Amino acid sequence: MSDVFRYRLVLVVLAATTAVLFLLSLTVGPAAIGFRDSIAALFSDQRDAIALIMREIRLPRALLGLTIGATLGLCGAALQGYLRNPLAEPALIGVSASASLGAVLAIYTGFSALFPLGLPLAALAGAVAAVIVVQALAGGRGGALTIILAGVAVSSFAGAMTSLALNLSSNPYAALEIVFWMLGSLADRSMTHVWLAAPFMLASWIMLGLLGRALDLLTLGGDAAQTMGVDMRRVQLMAVLGTAASVGAATAVAGAIGFVGLVVPHILRPLVGARPSRLLAASALGGASMLLAADILVRVIAPGRDLKLGVVTAIVGAPFFLWLVWRTRRKLA
């Protein structure tokens, strides 16, 4: 089997899996609605209870699971290719932690209670601040190591400020809301959240998708890539801005969801070959499938307990990543 045929086969399988999981996400829930009735209500002109459940609850949740999962998988693959670091993930450049800090400040100050979109907008502002600081610290000619160090510094500061807000919160309900939001969830989201995050995600997908050739050449080393016409400053800017825009938007509407951008590229890399450009589309589909599956599990395992999505992805992702580390060590031994 040729590499091209295997790559196309992997994309077809991932696309089919994502489509099936998207349909399941639309039809699975505590309301006992049949599959045919669910789909019919989604496209009908009626305004009954079933149609409202499908359009106002399940459709936004499924769309966010699809787009946020694709974003996390794509950004993880792009960062691992650009930084040439298999441990790279979207949280590495500080965007997730800073977006979380923005949301925490909105809850802590009561801004989210006064303005319905205050929380996601504050989270987006935190993400913007993070990318500005990372770019300023790294500079136009900063290499991969500089980006990583700047991201770690921003993440550490944002995490410390988040802990400080929790520590100083005099309202136990606000502290509980902060903790629950940071665990990540797609519950109780509306189409407003979808329209808020979608433009940032789409712009990011285009930016990161254009980096395919540059990422392939970067496997030869930064100096070799530059001699072959790769503009390292442009690549750095597109990788950081693309990741910040989409991950910031994802965190703004769903909270912090980890391990998707780290684990999915590792799972798919052996299946698509050594070319980072091929991993981009595969990781986007794989991330969408993983997050949709995790969200379905949340609704099936504990429908009445509001199990958080970030908890499920960590429970599934952390042991699998440990297994990957163990398998890698055995190969190197």
Side-chain angles (χ1 to χ4, degrees):
M1 183 185 299
S2 67
D3 289 342
V4 175
F5 178 79
R6 183 173 63 178
Y7 170 63
R8 291 176 179 173
L9 179 62
V10 169
L11 289 184
V12 169
V13 172
L14 288 172
T17 303
T18 302
V20 170
L21 290 171
F22 182 78
L23 287 176
L24 285 176
S25 181
L26 286 173
T27 55
V28 172
I33 307 173
F35 179 84
R36 183 175 297 177
D37 293 336
S38 299
I39 302 301
L42 188 62
F43 295 100
S44 70
D45 296 330
Q46 299 180 3
R47 301 290 296 177
D48 56 4
I50 297 179
L52 288 175
I53 290 173
M54 292 300 300
R55 295 172 191 165
E56 303 298 330
I57 299 176
R58 291 188 180 178
L59 180 60
R61 188 166 185 167
L63 288 173
L64 286 175
L66 177 71
T67 54
I68 292 174
T71 287
L72 295 176
L74 174 62
C75 291
L79 282 181
Q80 289 178 16
Y82 167 63
L83 298 175
R84 285 158 286 168
N85 186 335
L87 296 178
E89 62 165 338
L92 188 64
I93 61 173
V95 177
S96 299
S98 299
S100 297
L101 175 60
V104 166
L105 291 178
I107 298 172
Y108 181 79
T109 59
F111 180 61
S112 61
L114 296 175
F115 182 49
L117 292 178
L119 192 149
L121 290 176
L124 280 172
V128 171
V131 73
I132 292 174
V133 173
V134 169
Q135 279 295 112
L137 290 174
R141 298 182 180 180
L145 180 59
T146 311
I147 293 288
I148 293 173
L149 292 176
V152 169
V154 171
S155 293
S156 299
F157 179 77
M161 295 302 294
T162 300
S163 300
L164 180 63
L166 280 169
N167 186 231
L168 298 179
S169 178
S170 58
N171 187 343
Y173 296 103
L176 190 63
E177 185 180 357
I178 290 171
V179 172
F180 279 170
W181 184 87
M182 291 178 64
L183 294 177
S185 176
L186 298 179
D188 302 324
R189 303 307 191 263
S190 66
M191 289 302 296
T192 302
H193 293 90
V194 176
W195 295 123
L196 178 65
F200 296 95
M201 293 185 185
L202 290 175
S204 168
W205 296 351
I206 295 172
M207 293 172 66
L208 297 179
L210 294 174
L211 292 178
R213 177 180 175 275
L215 296 181
D216 288 344
L217 295 177
L218 277 174
T219 58
L220 304 174
D223 294 336
Q226 281 185 301
T227 60
M228 300 178 72
V230 175
D231 185 346
M232 295 300 295
R233 188 171 184 175
R234 174 180 171 272
V235 171
Q236 173 190 316
L237 189 64
M238 291 182 66
V240 174
L241 286 181
T243 300
S246 56
V247 174
T251 306
V253 298
I257 300 174
F259 281 98
V260 177
L262 181 62
V263 173
V264 169
H266 277 278
I267 297 174
L268 297 175
R269 187 173 285 109
L271 301 178
V272 300
R275 294 179 59 179
S277 59
R278 292 183 177 179
L279 190 59
L280 297 177
S283 293
L285 291 171
S289 295
M290 180 177 178
L291 202 62
L292 286 169
D295 191 48
I296 293 170
L297 284 176
V298 165
R299 285 178 266 178
V300 171
I301 295 175
R305 298 298 299 272
D306 193 21
L307 184 62
K308 298 302 180 182
L309 186 58
V311 176
V312 175
T313 57
I315 289 175
V316 175
F320 191 85
F321 189 69
L322 289 174
W323 176 77
L324 285 174
V325 173
W326 177 75
R327 189 182 68 172
T328 303
R329 191 194 69 176
R330 288 193 62 185
K331 287 182 178 180
L332 295 176

